[in-house]
Amino acid sequence: MKSILKLEGISFHLKKINQTILKDITLEIYQSEIFGLTGESGSGKSTLAKIIAGLEKQTSGKKYFFEKEFWGVEPEHRIQILFQNYSASHDPFQKIDSAFNEILKIKKFKTEDLFRHKKEILDLVGLSDTVLSLYPGQLSGGQLQRLALAKLLLLKPPFLILDEPFASQDFVSIVNLIKIFQQVNQKLKTTFLCISHEIPFLMKFCDRIGVMKDGEIKDILTVERKENKIEIKDRHSDYTNFLFQSFGMDI
Amino acid sequence: MIELSDEILRVVELSVSTKSNKVILNNINFTCKEREFLVIIGKNGHGKTTLSLSVANLLNKNVFNVNGKIFFKGKDILSLSDIDLNLIRQKNIGYIPQNPFSSFNPTKKIKTQFEEQSKLKNILLDFYIELMKQLELKNFELILNKYPFELSGGILQRLSAVRCLAFKPELIIADEPTSALDKPVSNLLLSLFYKFVKDEKKTLILITQDLSIAEKFADRIAFLNSGEMNVILNREQFFASKDSIDLKILLEAYQQLKI
């Protein structure tokens, strides 16, 4: 398995309140893998995601993408992030088609390929191409989230961070979303880092799950999925056990 | 009028629409008894929050048309005067809003806000602290001396539950009270609610999307779909229900996501 993202000794310290948010995190994520990240609120999950995306700068430590070191934002914008507050990633006064075109300017497409490409991505996230002529306000919450995902996928980034994608979604939408993530993963070979509290959902589609507590990654668990049976066989800490038990699971 | 010894709330033919005639709730009927844990389930945008707001009579009358009757212990709270309504709200009905950030006064410290309430309702401040400890807010002194915007959503959500539980209202309406909490803390809060309902003989209406909460705690579950509430059943019956197609789809999705 080839590494796509490697973190070496990442620490994050807030001077103002003298608090260490992340302590010496070392993590390797492999190509076209789905990696889940879970843990209690305030354990530093989102901060870690922000550091990977370059929205925060680590106090110490190194980041590697395709075995090349980078600082801050990945220079070719190959790491993208789907924010929890997805509705804020749309301009309410811009038609969706025009927003798509703006993104696609970065990659120089032939005009005749343009529509085909947009349709391909919209198909992937389960939206019809009629949304192109609409404004974001005309879509529902679930559709807006999938639209935000489509916008990210237009440039086919090899690495995608999902920040709490299941928050405030109903079960029908969640089943749908998981299917979409799996499809994108298979078709575009996108690597996912998915942050969520909801361990049962992560177990449905993640290859590995990292458990964070107090700014450290306590355990990395490999999820084994065989014919309707999902198992975790790794050795793990008491905290991980406690967390899984709160969902009524014994591992 | 309607006076049953253990009936707390009766909603009769409640309909809510906007001034531009968009129907949000259509002919809702249900009752709630003392010591009942009622969970209202529904998908995004199907009127859950509107229902909870109208039961507490908090909807803006300039924006919404509200028709029907809501009896709280025999009194129709939709036709009460503002003074009587405020008395009921102060003593008998507690409301935990969905958005924890906008439910506190941003210009006052948490401690001041709790003190104001405790004076008004004759509660000791220690009781608030006791509840905070039960919800894993162990550094309570630090939290009490902060302004709401200095605290995280998870902490504020717990505080707004504490604020409501402290004055022991007869009816609590909680709108997604665990949306910003992680599972262990969410379980703690829900157990606290459960104890409150069963030991103190109170009533709770909890609004959520999370069927696992309903499966664990609810006495009865109502399914709200496109503004209508056709299914309201006991817990066991609800999970085997085949009455509504939308409910069937939701239950199937829930079973798929279960481990």
Side-chain angles (χ1 to χ4, degrees):
Chain A
M1 277 186 289
K2 281 184 185 165
S3 136
I4 182 162
L5 180 89
K6 209 165 105 184
L7 304 176
E8 261 181 21
I10 295 278
S11 298
F12 187 68
H13 186 84
L14 276 180
K15 264 188 210 150
K16 243 185 189 169
I17 50 171
N18 194 21
Q19 203 176 2
T20 309
I21 312 282
L22 295 175
K23 292 173 207 156
D24 192 27
I25 287 195
T26 300
L27 175 68
E28 191 164 13
I29 297 178
Y30 305 113
Q31 282 181 33
S32 63
E33 172 184 45
I34 304 182
F35 191 91
L37 196 58
T38 188
E40 63 183 355
S41 354
S43 60
K45 303 185 297 282
S46 292
T47 313
L48 186 62
K50 280 183 190 161
I51 285 175
I52 293 170
L55 301 172
E56 294 275 8
K57 306 242 169 14
Q58 70 270 32
T59 321
S60 63
K62 286 176 178 170
K63 303 188 282 183
Y64 299 89
F65 196 63
F66 285 112
E67 283 164 8
K68 227 171 110 183
E69 197 184 337
F70 70 104
W71 170 255
V73 180
E74 203 275 324
E76 289 171 52
H77 302 283
R78 287 178 297 179
I79 298 178
Q80 294 290 338
I81 177 164
L82 178 70
F83 292 104
Q84 186 180 353
N85 188 2
Y86 50 83
S87 51
S89 48
H90 304 289
D91 179 352
F93 299 110
Q94 188 179 29
K95 274 196 180 162
I96 290 158
D97 194 29
S98 135
F100 272 33
N101 287 336
E102 209 170 291
I103 296 166
L104 287 168
K105 265 183 207 159
I106 300 170
K107 264 191 182 177
K108 291 188 178 63
F109 273 94
K110 285 178 195 158
T111 336
E112 58 263 34
D113 288 347
L114 214 56
F115 181 72
R116 203 174 43 81
H117 184 67
K118 286 184 222 165
K119 194 171 160 25
E120 181 198 350
I121 298 293
L122 284 172
D123 272 351
L124 209 53
V125 300
L127 290 170
S128 87
D129 53 52
T130 48
V131 298
L132 286 174
S133 58
L134 300 176
Y135 288 99
Q138 290 168 288
L139 300 179
S140 73
Q143 284 175 319
L144 282 180
Q145 188 181 30
R146 279 178 283 154
L147 188 70
L149 180 66
K151 276 182 168 176
L152 297 175
L153 292 175
L154 279 175
L155 297 176
K156 300 196 174 167
F159 194 90
L160 198 54
I161 300 166
L162 311 167
D163 190 3
E164 297 276 1
F166 308 123
S168 72
Q169 297 284 338
D170 57 67
F171 285 90
V172 181
S173 319
I174 291 169
V175 170
N176 215 338
L177 263 179
I178 290 180
K179 263 184 211 150
I180 290 169
F181 294 150
Q182 281 173 326
Q183 257 177 33
V184 172
N185 176 251
Q186 277 165 14
K187 284 194 181 151
L188 304 181
K189 302 277 172 251
T190 313
T191 310
F192 281 102
L193 171 66
C194 179
I195 299 171
S196 180
H197 286 305
E198 299 284 343
I199 298 174
F201 304 162
L202 290 180
M203 285 176 75
K204 283 284 169 189
F205 74 111
C206 290
D207 301 313
R208 289 190 299 158
I209 297 176
V211 181
M212 282 187 81
K213 184 174 165 55
D214 301 330
E216 287 173 271
I217 295 188
K218 287 273 173 199
D219 290 298
I220 294 179
L221 313 163
T222 310
V223 185
E224 288 176 36
R225 243 166 294 160
K226 281 180 217 149
E227 295 167 33
N228 303 328
K229 237 186 145 185
I230 302 174
E231 280 182 326
I232 285 174
K233 287 184 183 148
D234 295 301
R235 290 171 61 85
H236 46 76
S237 59
D238 289 345
Y239 176 70
T240 306
N241 221 1
F242 165 72
L243 210 58
F244 276 69
Q245 268 167 9
S246 72
F247 286 95
M249 284 185 279
D250 258 323
I251 55 167
Chain B
M1 280 177 72
I2 299 159
E3 197 78 49
L4 275 173
S5 58
D6 59 348
E7 187 178 282
I8 287 280
L9 188 78
R10 173 181 286 269
V11 177
V12 185
E13 292 176 0
L14 177 74
S15 298
V16 176
S17 59
T18 58
K19 292 283 178 199
S20 55
N21 282 329
K22 192 184 169 212
V23 178
I24 300 174
L25 295 176
N26 187 12
N27 197 9
I28 304 261
N29 293 290
F30 68 95
T31 57
C32 233
K33 289 186 186 122
E34 198 175 73
R35 299 181 68 174
E36 182 165 58
F37 197 121
L38 176 75
V39 172
I40 299 178
I41 289 276
K43 292 202 283 175
N44 295 341
H46 283 246
K48 298 193 300 291
T49 298
T50 314
L51 177 62
S52 72
L53 285 169
S54 53
V55 170
N57 198 0
L58 287 168
L59 281 180
N60 188 346
K61 295 273 162 54
N62 295 325
V63 184
F64 297 99
N65 292 318
V66 185
N67 291 310
K69 290 193 163 69
I70 298 168
F71 296 103
F72 176 77
K73 297 176 105 183
K75 279 185 215 159
D76 182 5
I77 57 173
L78 289 182
S79 60
L80 283 180
S81 68
D82 282 355
I83 298 167
D84 292 339
L85 189 63
N86 277 340
L87 272 176
I88 285 190
R89 283 196 194 132
Q90 263 175 32
K91 283 190 184 147
N92 302 329
I93 301 184
Y95 185 77
I96 302 175
Q98 189 171 24
N99 184 350
F101 290 102
S102 60
S103 68
F104 284 90
N105 184 340
T107 62
K108 286 178 182 168
K109 285 183 178 169
I110 299 289
K111 196 176 181 181
T112 325
Q113 300 191 41
F114 279 179
E115 274 169 357
E116 277 174 4
Q117 197 197 32
S118 65
K119 267 178 209 155
L120 196 71
K121 293 173 181 176
N122 287 325
I123 321 159
L124 290 173
L125 196 65
D126 289 349
F127 188 56
Y128 289 87
I129 293 171
E130 176 62 33
L131 285 169
M132 282 167 76
K133 277 186 198 158
Q134 286 183 35
L135 291 172
E136 295 263 304
L137 294 170
K138 286 187 182 108
N139 46 353
F140 52 86
E141 272 172 28
L142 203 74
I143 294 170
L144 283 174
N145 281 313
K146 285 200 166 165
Y147 288 97
F149 56 83
E150 295 176 304
L151 297 166
S152 75
I155 291 176
L156 282 177
Q157 199 159 43
R158 279 178 264 177
L159 289 176
S160 87
V162 166
R163 184 179 54 178
C164 188
L165 284 168
F167 77 97
K168 297 185 177 170
E170 279 156 89
L171 171 69
I172 289 187
I173 302 155
D175 192 358
E176 305 239 15
T178 59
S179 58
L181 304 178
D182 52 20
K183 201 70 182 181
V185 180
S186 151
N187 283 345
L188 271 179
L189 178 61
L190 290 164
S191 320
L192 204 62
F193 279 147
Y194 193 78
K195 251 196 275 171
F196 174 81
V197 171
K198 299 295 168 190
D199 299 351
E200 312 236 356
K201 295 182 186 169
K202 309 289 185 187
T203 309
L204 178 78
I205 299 178
L206 188 132
I207 287 163
T208 181
Q209 299 183 350
D210 191 348
L211 277 160
S212 62
I213 293 176
E215 196 175 25
K216 214 168 164 187
F217 294 99
D219 294 318
R220 281 195 304 158
I221 306 167
F223 179 59
L224 194 64
N225 189 36
S226 326
E228 292 186 21
M229 199 155 87
N230 296 327
V231 185
I232 174 160
L233 291 169
N234 290 338
R235 180 169 38 175
E236 291 79 21
Q237 291 167 335
F238 184 85
F239 282 95
S241 157
K242 291 183 178 76
D243 294 358
S244 140
I245 298 164
D246 292 298
L247 177 59
K248 226 178 115 190
I249 295 171
L250 188 70
L251 287 175
E252 269 172 23
Y254 175 58
Q255 292 304 334
Q256 271 183 44
L257 287 170
K258 244 179 162 183
I259 300 266

